[in-house]
Amino acid sequence: MSNGISIGPIVVPGRVWTAPMTGVSDLPFRRIASRLGAAYVATEMVACDHLAAARPEAVRRAAVGSGLPLMVIQLVGADPDAVAKSAALAARAGAHIVDLNFGCPAKSVTGVACGSALMRDLATAERLVAAAVGASAAPVTVKIRLGWDDACRNAVELAVRAEAAGAVAITVHGRTRQQFYAGRADWAAVRAVRDAVAIPVIVNGDVVDVASAREALAASGADAVMIGRAAIGRPWLAATIGAGLAGRTCDEPGGAERLDIVAGHLAASLAFHGERLGVRTFRKHLAAYIEAAPWPSSPDARRAARARLCRLEAPGDIVAALAALWPSSPARLAA
């Protein structure tokens, strides 16, 4: 397995990618994950009509900032003009890759004909890809699902149309929209997409460790894997899985290193969002950091610690409480 994958003219220096996650992959998270070795970390999903209108929340979600070796902005929308304008804005802002979301299953998104709702309107989906490709100097990729439901599994047709419209890579989550995140991702079903297009295909869904990454790649034939929720509280995960796939040792951070990562992430969140919003925004990450750590060894004790620490307001108190909770012993990630 080679180390890089070409996305149009852009070479992503790794084949384990971190998914765009609403409420998670803000600029502080992307900086931390990139510093820890993640080859690809996308922004939160950015609404095209909001970005085109320069709404502050959309601009914040699409924030480029410095310290990122690769900048990927994910857009969601259903209007070709807004998608074109947003894709052009993203490229001018410094995006190396513009990704279109045709896979989000949330009712608030599908209810306005966006996200995975476009898997029921392939003609519009194709027009959106063409609009983004025509407006953006950066290469355009697309993220989809297997289909809307089991009666409408049309990922292959959408991928073919997207490629014809100029998309240079396709990410496929191995579930339908109606599954949301229930059941198991069907990695084998992604192979039909891989066989139908010449552009890179990335498999997504239920990739949580080295073993599941190997299995997903083998079942799908995909060129890369994308991890999502498993990276919350473990921003180093893409790098450790990538190392494992390459046959290198995969070590999870020990207590002292983990504390440094969390403290740096919290400080970055405060600097980006301001202290009050920064602490609130960070709580989902804090909860995940505590849940993902092997200390305390009891899940019940970790849950109790999570509840206690997520009520703290002062950043210094949060770091001090974590320092008291975690030892300095290393933990190994099994390959």
Side-chain angles (χ1 to χ4, degrees):
M1 186 176 185
S2 63
N3 291 328
I5 179 170
S6 294
I7 305 301
I10 303 298
V11 176
V12 179
R15 294 179 182 257
V16 182
W17 296 8
T18 305
M21 291 176 279
T22 299
V24 174
S25 52
D26 59 7
L27 183 58
F29 174 84
R30 285 181 277 127
R31 280 178 169 156
I32 292 291
S34 295
R35 179 173 65 80
L36 293 171
Y40 172 113
V41 190
T43 66
E44 301 176 75
M45 182 176 64
V46 180
C48 288
D49 53 347
H50 293 179
L51 184 60
R55 291 194 184 181
E57 176 67 10
V59 173
R60 182 193 63 77
R61 287 174 180 262
V64 176
S66 59
L68 289 170
L70 182 71
M71 181 64 204
V72 183
I73 294 180
Q74 189 188 68
L75 303 174
V76 63
D79 175 66
D81 290 338
V83 167
K85 183 174 181 180
S86 295
L89 287 170
R92 287 201 297 271
H96 298 102
I97 296 171
V98 172
D99 186 56
L100 300 182
N101 185 317
F102 297 164
C104 179
K107 291 180 180 179
S108 59
V109 176
T110 60
V112 290
C114 295
S116 55
L118 288 159
M119 302 208 69
R120 297 194 293 182
D121 187 357
L122 300 192
T124 296
E126 187 174 357
R127 285 195 294 273
L128 295 175
V129 176
V133 169
S136 172
V140 174
T141 62
V142 180
K143 191 170 190 289
I144 68 175
R145 285 188 167 230
L146 294 178
W148 177 260
D149 55 23
D150 283 335
C152 181
R153 288 195 167 214
N154 55 1
V156 169
E157 184 181 354
L158 178 51
V160 169
R161 285 179 175 235
E163 181 182 30
V168 296
I170 303 283
T171 299
V172 187
H173 185 113
R175 290 181 174 88
T176 66
R177 183 271 175 182
Q178 294 297 68
Q179 286 181 272
F180 283 80
Y181 298 99
R184 286 187 56 82
D186 187 353
W187 300 320
V190 178
R191 184 172 286 275
V193 176
R194 169 64 287 163
D195 292 342
V197 296
I199 57 179
V201 172
I202 299 90
V203 62
N204 174 228
D206 294 347
V207 177
V208 299
D209 53 21
V210 178
S212 57
R214 286 196 183 113
E215 188 178 348
L217 287 167
S220 65
D223 302 277
V225 296
M226 179 175 280
I227 58 174
R229 292 166 291 168
I232 308 173
R234 299 170 75 194
W236 53 82
L237 186 60
T240 54
I241 291 176
L245 291 176
R248 300 192 301 273
T249 301
C250 303
D251 286 327
E252 289 261 309
E257 184 181 359
R258 213 174 277 232
L259 183 62
D260 285 344
I261 291 168
V262 176
H265 191 169
L266 174 56
S269 184
L270 300 176
F272 184 66
H273 296 287
E275 181 162 330
R276 180 167 180 166
L277 181 58
V279 169
R280 290 184 178 179
T281 300
F282 187 71
R283 281 180 179 147
K284 65 176 69 66
H285 296 284
L286 177 62
Y289 278 120
I290 295 169
E291 284 285 338
W295 327 283
S297 57
S298 162
D300 288 341
R302 288 200 298 276
R303 282 192 288 271
R306 179 191 67 189
R308 176 171 55 86
L309 268 66
C310 286
R311 288 195 294 267
L312 298 176
E313 296 286 346
D317 291 345
I318 294 171
V319 175
L322 278 175
L325 187 67
W326 290 346
S328 298
S329 57
R332 181 169 295 277
L333 177 67

